[in-house]
Amino acid sequence: MMSESCRINENDLFKQDWRSRSRGQVMQYIILKWLLAFLVGLLTGVIATLINLAVENISGYKLLTVVGYIQQERYLMGFLYFLGTNFLLTFIASILCVCFAPTAAGPGIPEIKAYLNGVDTPNMYGATVLFVKIIGSIGAVSAGLDLGKEGPLVHIGSCIASLLGQGGPDNHRIKWKWVRYFNNDRDRRDLITCGASSGVCAAFRAPVGGVLFSLEEVASWWRSALLWRTFCSTAVVVVVLRAFIELCHEGKCGLFGEGGLIMFDVSNVAVSYNVMDIVPVAIIGIIGGVLGSLYNYLLHKILRVYNLINQKGKIYKLLLSLSVSIFTSACQYGLPFLVKCTPCDDLSMCPTNGKSGNYKQFNCPNGHYNDLATLLLTTNDDAVRNIFSTNTPHEYQPFSILIFFTLYCILGLITFGIAVPSGLFLPIILIGSGYGRLLGIIMRPYTNIDHGLLAVLGAASLMAGSMRMTVSLCVIFLELTNNLLLLPITMIVLLIAKTVGDSFNPSVYEMILHLKGLPFMDADPEPWMRNLSVGELIDVKSSVVSFRGIEKVSNIVDALKNTTHNGFPVMDDGDEVEIVKLHGVILRAHLIKVLKKKWFLKEKRRTEEWEVREKFSWVELAEREENIEDVIGVTKEEMEMFVDLHPLTNTTPFTVLESMSVAKARILFRQVGLRHMLVVPKYQASGVSPVIGILTRQDLLAYNILPVFPHLENSKGREKSN
């Protein structure tokens, strides 16, 4: 379902309402915008803290119990407890998604990206989805599955924003007048952008990175005012997180509260590198681009298989999730037995059997530690901290890092796509840090860069190679690691990885959008679109359905029932004979409101201003559309009556000449945020309609154009070869 354009629908009602607003009402509207942005940040920060608190305590106490069994050498009991707890947590997360909110599964970022591009996925931002996303994220992450809470937090922030903007859930909305001002798709889109930024900020404690993430990756349209409001939301999130960390610092919140805002601090090492260090940095970037594109390719294949499994029914979705949980638990518990114990260099800090630390004793004797258990038998966040740890060049054996890297490559591919809330950021960070650390061991004689910093660069390169982000990713990693000296080499790695990845396939989010069938419109059109004009595109479409300024009710009902169009041109007779002029475009949603309210005229005439304002308000017309099925039956007598469409018609539609190229029209369509684009003839003849067709999002997508114009496929191939 398409969402509204981000442009204002400038009909007579809107103009009258805007002129009648006092300066105080305008200020009230602006203040309320800022208030909602503040509330989005506040609620996202609180919920993110509660999720972190629950995950750290559930995972922490689970692992402490397992370590207790291992210390008693009750290995089988420890495995059964570990497996059973993870199985139960996965079952809770999966059953909620399968039975109550299927749209809560996955990260939610592709659907948010599609919504902000103009495509609305049904049941994506409701209260049920929010609840399932919160509980499901806690269960899935606590179960030790190879997934993060970053994507779900972005979705949670967006759900909070949507519910605030529309005044609550669909069935229990607040009907206050000031709330209804925001119950339109433009303000809702702005709030969801604030929510997405707040989610990234809450996940990584990176306020600037959160804003840049929305700007670079999620939002299709951007304004300077929106930049300020998203920054306000992320600033509030950081303050909330800081307040809770201070509150929980002295152990008042169980196992939560250790550390500060910086999640993976590597600021305690001096970053020194010379010109020759560019070579290993470039190698990491190239490998990241190749592995990132390979990861996208394999994930695409696996998700297609998962789609076939999930189509068989709910029980198959549940069994798939539980199977992945069993495999993950068995690998995390069993693989550390394959490596040799390492003697401790510092007996005061090693081994560690408590809450956290780099040196897990596991099955080793006193004075020794198991380096693979340090990475596997811990929470995902602690695993990243351990592998990012600096000044530890001899802590991990190459064989252990190789097992870690191989395992998380497998888990990263098979875990994403099961019916639980999941994020892609953390799995990719774990894979990337694995090969970054491995390269550090291999290139030890050739570079002085710390192994922990190479793990950071490896994680950044794989994220750029898979997700194809650069600026926002660079800032997120700087805020994650608190080391500004990493900036130059991080930028080089990201640019190389993205360039290499782009030469193979699209980003992982674009791939998921395609799999879900969401008609996402990229910023850059295909080169072959320059060879096709919008006039040629209109010629192969069905003829445009238009209305007169004063139209018969029966004609409106027939058009709404027999077409799926969301916009209709409205024509008027010109001052000269046989001249037809364009008055504007009227939306399907407004026509349905007219029929529901039965705003009919017995004679063919223009209505007065007071007659319109008596029935409709601009706020009401800005609300989301309804279905023609909701219209109560119109009688035969009413079918012969008339409707004056002039007051409800948008009189400022965007029009393009039929000679314009499809490429240029598509750029205009996306940059301006349109829903309809009228195509007008190059020459206006007497008695001929001033509109020859309407272009919508579906018409401008490449995979819809190529089947109609197969000869463009050849020109597409020639352009690629050139």
Side-chain angles (χ1 to χ4, degrees):
M1 184 176 70
M2 300 298 170
S3 64
E4 294 287 346
S5 163
C6 71
R7 310 296 302 177
I8 293 293
N9 192 11
E10 295 185 7
N11 53 33
D12 290 347
L13 271 175
F14 168 77
K15 294 174 184 176
Q16 292 162 8
D17 180 82
W18 191 254
R19 285 194 297 264
S20 64
R21 287 190 188 184
S22 65
R23 193 170 181 178
Q25 288 175 316
V26 173
M27 284 299 298
Q28 182 189 31
Y29 177 64
I30 294 171
I31 291 170
L32 288 173
K33 276 187 177 182
W34 283 93
L35 177 61
L36 286 178
F38 171 84
L39 289 175
V40 167
L42 178 66
L43 294 176
T44 304
V46 170
I47 290 176
T49 305
L50 295 176
I51 290 174
N52 285 326
L53 192 151
V55 168
E56 291 294 324
N57 280 286
I58 294 172
S59 299
Y61 286 115
K62 174 191 71 177
L63 291 169
L64 286 175
T65 305
V66 172
V67 167
Y69 283 122
I70 292 172
Q71 283 182 303
Q72 300 169 22
E73 297 186 0
R74 300 171 65 187
Y75 298 117
L76 180 60
M77 189 63 196
F79 173 66
L80 292 176
Y81 179 86
F82 186 67
L83 180 70
T85 307
N86 290 344
F87 185 91
L88 178 62
L89 290 168
T90 305
F91 178 81
I92 293 170
S94 187
I95 199 73
L96 285 173
C97 289
V98 168
C99 297
F100 298 100
T103 53
I109 293 178
E111 290 85 354
I112 295 167
K113 188 173 178 178
Y115 178 80
L116 297 178
N117 190 257
V119 183
D120 193 0
T121 306
N123 305 317
M124 197 66 201
Y125 305 104
T128 305
V129 175
L130 176 62
F131 174 78
V132 171
K133 202 80 177 185
I134 294 170
I135 304 300
S137 297
I138 294 171
V141 177
S142 301
L145 294 172
D146 184 25
L147 46 82
K149 51 186 178 290
E150 299 80 22
L153 277 173
V154 175
H155 192 184
I156 287 168
S158 300
C159 287
I160 292 170
S162 177
L163 291 169
L164 284 174
Q166 67 182 18
D170 291 334
N171 300 330
H172 306 284
R173 289 191 186 183
I174 298 172
K175 297 297 184 181
W176 298 339
K177 184 178 179 182
W178 65 269
V179 173
R180 294 185 71 191
Y181 274 114
F182 298 93
N183 198 9
N184 63 81
D185 278 298
R186 179 177 177 174
D187 286 324
R188 187 169 179 247
R189 181 179 290 115
D190 287 354
L191 274 174
I192 286 176
T193 305
C194 292
S197 300
S198 300
V200 174
C201 175
F204 295 113
R205 303 169 195 174
V208 180
V211 175
L212 292 176
F213 175 81
S214 289
L215 174 60
E216 181 181 9
E217 182 64 20
V218 177
S220 296
W221 307 292
W222 198 262
R223 306 188 311 280
S224 58
L226 184 57
L227 177 70
W228 282 102
R229 287 203 296 277
T230 53
F231 189 69
C232 169
S233 296
T234 56
V236 173
V237 171
V238 168
V239 171
V240 172
L241 291 174
R242 184 69 225 176
F244 273 97
I245 287 171
E246 288 292 330
L247 181 67
C248 297
H249 187 64
E250 298 177 356
K252 298 177 182 177
C253 304
L255 302 181
F256 176 74
E258 297 293 329
L261 279 176
I262 309 301
M263 292 184 69
F264 311 127
D265 196 343
V266 295
S267 60
N268 61 339
V269 61
V271 182
S272 59
Y273 43 84
N274 51 42
V275 176
M276 293 307 297
D277 287 326
I278 298 298
V279 176
V281 167
I283 291 173
I284 288 178
I286 293 169
I287 294 174
V290 173
L291 284 182
S293 57
L294 179 62
Y295 178 84
N296 291 357
Y297 173 79
L298 294 175
L299 187 63
H300 182 265
K301 299 296 182 185
I302 290 172
L303 288 178
R304 291 181 68 178
V305 175
Y306 279 11
N307 284 341
L308 296 176
I309 296 173
N310 292 335
Q311 286 172 5
K312 293 184 177 181
K314 295 180 178 180
I315 189 67
Y316 287 89
K317 289 184 179 181
L318 188 60
L319 289 174
L320 180 61
S321 303
L322 297 176
S323 301
V324 171
S325 175
I326 292 171
F327 177 77
T328 303
S329 300
C331 290
Q332 289 175 338
Y333 191 89
L335 289 177
F337 287 100
L338 299 179
V339 302
K340 296 179 180 179
C341 295
T342 306
C344 296
D345 292 331
D346 186 355
L347 293 176
S348 64
M349 298 178 61
C350 170
T352 303
N353 291 318
K355 302 176 184 177
S356 61
N358 272 35
Y359 306 97
K360 297 290 185 184
Q361 185 173 357
F362 195 61
N363 61 330
C364 297
N366 291 334
H368 292 70
Y369 69 95
N370 188 310
D371 59 345
L372 189 55
T374 297
L375 299 175
L376 296 184
L377 210 64
T378 185
T379 63
N380 287 340
D381 284 353
D382 279 343
V384 176
R385 287 190 189 95
N386 293 339
I387 204 165
F388 278 6
S389 60
T390 54
N391 299 316
T392 54
H394 305 291
E395 179 181 340
Y396 300 104
Q397 304 171 43
F399 182 60
S400 300
I401 296 294
L402 184 60
I403 292 175
F404 172 83
F405 170 69
T406 306
L407 174 64
Y408 275 100
C409 282
I410 297 169
L411 294 180
L413 289 169
I414 66 172
T415 306
F416 187 81
I418 63 175
V420 295
S422 57
L424 271 174
F425 284 87
L426 201 67
I428 292 177
I429 288 176
L430 288 169
I431 298 170
S433 60
Y435 79 75
R437 191 103 192 184
L438 196 60
L439 284 173
I441 296 172
I442 295 170
M443 296 187 296
R444 185 182 299 163
Y446 310 105
T447 180
N448 294 321
I449 301 178
D450 189 274
H451 292 183
L453 300 184
L454 288 174
V456 173
L457 295 178
S461 69
L462 190 63
M463 288 187 75
S466 176
M467 299 181 177
R468 313 293 156 77
M469 296 186 294
T470 52
V471 179
S472 58
L473 201 55
C474 185
V475 174
I476 286 173
F477 266 87
L478 289 180
E479 292 181 290
L480 273 176
T481 58
N482 195 30
N483 199 325
L484 192 60
L485 296 174
L486 279 174
L487 180 61
I489 53 177
T490 304
M491 292 172 68
I492 293 171
V493 161
L494 293 175
L495 287 171
I496 293 174
K498 184 184 185 303
T499 304
V500 172
D502 281 337
S503 63
F504 289 103
N505 51 29
S507 74
V508 65
Y509 290 134
E510 291 178 31
M511 179 198 73
I512 296 170
L513 284 167
H514 181 69
L515 277 174
K516 290 179 176 289
L518 297 171
F520 185 81
M521 185 174 286
D522 296 317
D524 300 315
E526 299 286 346
W528 52 264
M529 289 182 176
R530 298 189 185 95
N531 303 328
L532 185 69
S533 70
V534 293
E536 293 174 284
L537 199 56
I538 288 296
D539 287 341
V540 299
K541 287 188 64 178
S542 56
S543 57
V544 64
V545 178
S546 61
F547 294 127
R548 309 296 288 185
I550 301 173
E551 188 58 82
K552 208 171 184 181
V553 173
S554 58
N555 294 339
I556 297 174
V557 173
D558 290 341
L560 294 179
K561 286 185 175 179
N562 299 324
T563 69
T564 57
H565 304 330
N566 282 309
F568 303 88
V570 177
M571 312 294 185
D572 270 334
D573 294 329
D575 298 330
E576 301 179 19
V577 181
E578 295 187 348
I579 292 293
V580 181
K581 68 178 182 180
L582 173 66
H583 183 72
V585 175
I586 190 164
L587 297 178
R588 168 182 285 265
H590 296 171
L591 292 172
I592 291 173
K593 287 189 183 295
V594 166
L595 295 177
K596 283 191 75 173
K597 293 200 171 188
K598 298 196 174 185
W599 190 57
F600 306 145
L601 303 171
K602 292 184 178 179
E603 66 275 0
K604 200 172 183 179
R605 67 174 179 85
R606 294 286 294 264
T607 52
E608 300 293 334
E609 180 181 323
W610 64 268
E611 292 180 275
V612 185
R613 295 179 69 84
E614 195 176 64
K615 275 284 184 182
F616 301 100
S617 68
W618 176 75
V619 174
E620 183 182 19
L621 291 179
E623 292 180 352
R624 307 189 73 190
E625 61 187 63
E626 301 172 78
N627 298 318
I628 183 65
E629 290 77 15
D630 298 332
V631 177
I632 300 173
V634 182
T635 64
K636 287 184 179 180
E637 292 78 11
E638 290 170 335
M639 285 286 193
E640 299 303 315
M641 299 172 76
F642 298 93
V643 177
D644 180 14
L645 301 179
H646 294 96
L648 308 180
T649 301
N650 178 12
T651 56
T652 58
F654 277 78
T655 60
V656 297
L657 284 176
E658 60 180 328
S659 56
M660 178 181 282
S661 70
V662 171
K664 191 172 182 180
R666 180 176 156 135
I667 291 171
L668 177 64
F669 197 98
R670 189 183 191 275
Q671 287 183 344
V672 182
L674 301 180
R675 188 177 183 182
H676 307 102
M677 178 182 283
L678 303 185
V679 180
V680 298
K682 202 169 184 179
Y683 303 100
Q684 177 69 52
S686 298
V688 177
S689 171
V691 176
I692 62 174
I694 294 184
L695 289 177
T696 63
R697 167 184 299 274
Q698 295 283 359
D699 301 322
L700 295 171
L701 295 174
Y703 56 78
N704 287 334
I705 297 175
L706 285 175
V708 184
F709 298 94
H711 66 280
L712 293 174
E713 190 72 44
N714 298 326
S715 65
K716 178 183 176 183
R718 287 197 301 272
E719 284 161 357
K720 282 190 175 180
S721 64
N722 291 334

